[in-house]
Amino acid sequence: MAEPRTPVEVARSAVRATDLADLDAEISDCFACPRLVSWREEVARTRRAAFRDQEYWGRPVPGFGAPDARIGILGLAPAAHGGNRTGRIFTGDRSGDVLFAALHRAGLANQPTSVAADDGLTLTDTRIFAAVRCAPPDNKPTPAERDTCAPWLHREVELIRPTLRVVVALGAFAWAAWWPILRDTYGHRPPSPRPRFGHGAHWSGATAPEVLGCYHVSQQNTFTGRLTPGMLDDVFARAKQMAGVD
């Protein structure tokens, strides 16, 4: 195992990234959070029975999508047997099945499925990234892990800042992760009190992307009907309109 980086070292590495490819390489080689490193690698060793013949990625998962994206989709973290297995965010799990089907219906993805990093999927005007880049136990990163990982997200947003117009925050964790970006990337004082998360919640600032809240595409939400395909379609239709995407 590589030596863990301190939060200061993570921030320095993120700032040094000159483009998205450089940033993705730096993210993939991060060992900053010992608990997350241990978990992601344990999952990659033991594997789920359905995937026991596959080699897991077992590393932090970079963002994915268009470098000139006008729409950003911000999630929580990779799934243990999804992105942590395939190496691509939201790829290979039930949440991704729902998300990419919706993006395809919206004309933002060239196909409705996302099963492997080499399956030919491309996104139009859209980039997907996560607040935390390693799969966390029980899908619950600690506040310290969230804060250590934040420079990767902040730098990614900074690199696509010239075109980014709207961010869809999937769930309350992603919604909360956005506000420090206003200060660190846009020089915009975060609103106080913070806007409350909810499905369809909307925040607009003069010098920063608009933000839309959307229930997370987790099985807990989609299987129970709390989040339906129609609700997702409405969110992405709004995002496209706000971003000026035809």
Side-chain angles (χ1 to χ4, degrees):
M1 179 186 298
E3 287 296 319
R5 301 189 219 188
T6 67
V8 171
E9 290 170 335
V10 170
R12 288 173 179 167
S13 296
V15 169
R16 284 198 301 266
T18 58
D19 56 28
L20 288 172
D22 192 16
L23 181 67
D24 291 349
E26 289 286 344
I27 289 171
S28 299
D29 197 37
C30 186
F31 291 82
C33 301
R35 186 181 80 110
L36 297 186
V37 172
S38 177
W39 172 252
R40 79 193 191 202
E41 293 184 351
E42 178 185 349
V43 170
R45 284 193 303 271
T46 58
R47 309 177 190 180
R48 177 173 286 173
F51 308 123
R52 59 178 171 268
D53 295 330
Q54 298 184 20
E55 182 176 350
Y56 275 52
W57 170 254
R59 301 168 70 181
V61 181
F64 170 69
D68 57 351
R70 285 185 276 178
I71 299 171
I73 300 174
L74 177 56
L76 191 165
H81 301 282
N84 189 57
R85 172 174 60 89
T86 64
R88 193 171 70 193
I89 191 70
F90 279 113
T91 295
D93 60 45
R94 294 291 182 87
S95 295
D97 292 344
V98 173
L99 176 61
F100 288 109
L103 291 176
H104 183 256
R105 292 194 301 273
L108 299 173
N110 69 324
Q111 60 191 44
T113 58
S114 179
V115 297
D118 60 355
D119 63 6
L121 176 70
T122 60
L123 302 181
T124 301
D125 290 310
T126 305
R127 188 166 178 88
I128 304 176
F129 32 69
V132 174
R133 303 306 173 106
C134 290
D138 300 320
N139 291 321
K140 294 180 180 178
T142 67
E145 290 162 350
R146 174 203 62 201
D147 294 345
T148 298
C149 207
W152 300 128
L153 173 62
H154 293 200
R155 182 58 176 158
E156 188 158 6
V157 171
E158 186 174 14
L159 288 169
I160 63 174
R161 177 177 174 175
T163 58
L164 187 63
R165 297 293 176 263
V166 180
V167 172
V168 177
L170 298 177
F173 191 97
W175 180 265
W178 175 256
W179 309 115
I181 296 174
L182 291 182
R183 179 190 64 241
D184 295 345
T185 302
Y186 290 90
H188 189 302
R189 176 181 287 185
S192 181
R194 299 286 191 271
R196 292 187 62 181
F197 171 75
H199 185 81
H202 175 223
W203 178 87
S204 179
T207 61
E210 299 189 69
V211 185
L212 285 175
C214 178
Y215 289 146
H216 196 279
V217 287
S218 66
Q219 292 185 59
Q220 181 179 1
N221 287 334
T222 59
F223 280 17
T224 61
R226 188 177 189 227
L227 178 64
T228 66
M231 292 166 68
L232 268 177
D233 291 346
D234 288 344
V235 166
F236 289 127
R238 288 180 67 190
K240 288 177 63 177
Q241 181 180 38
M242 292 174 182
V245 174
D246 294 331

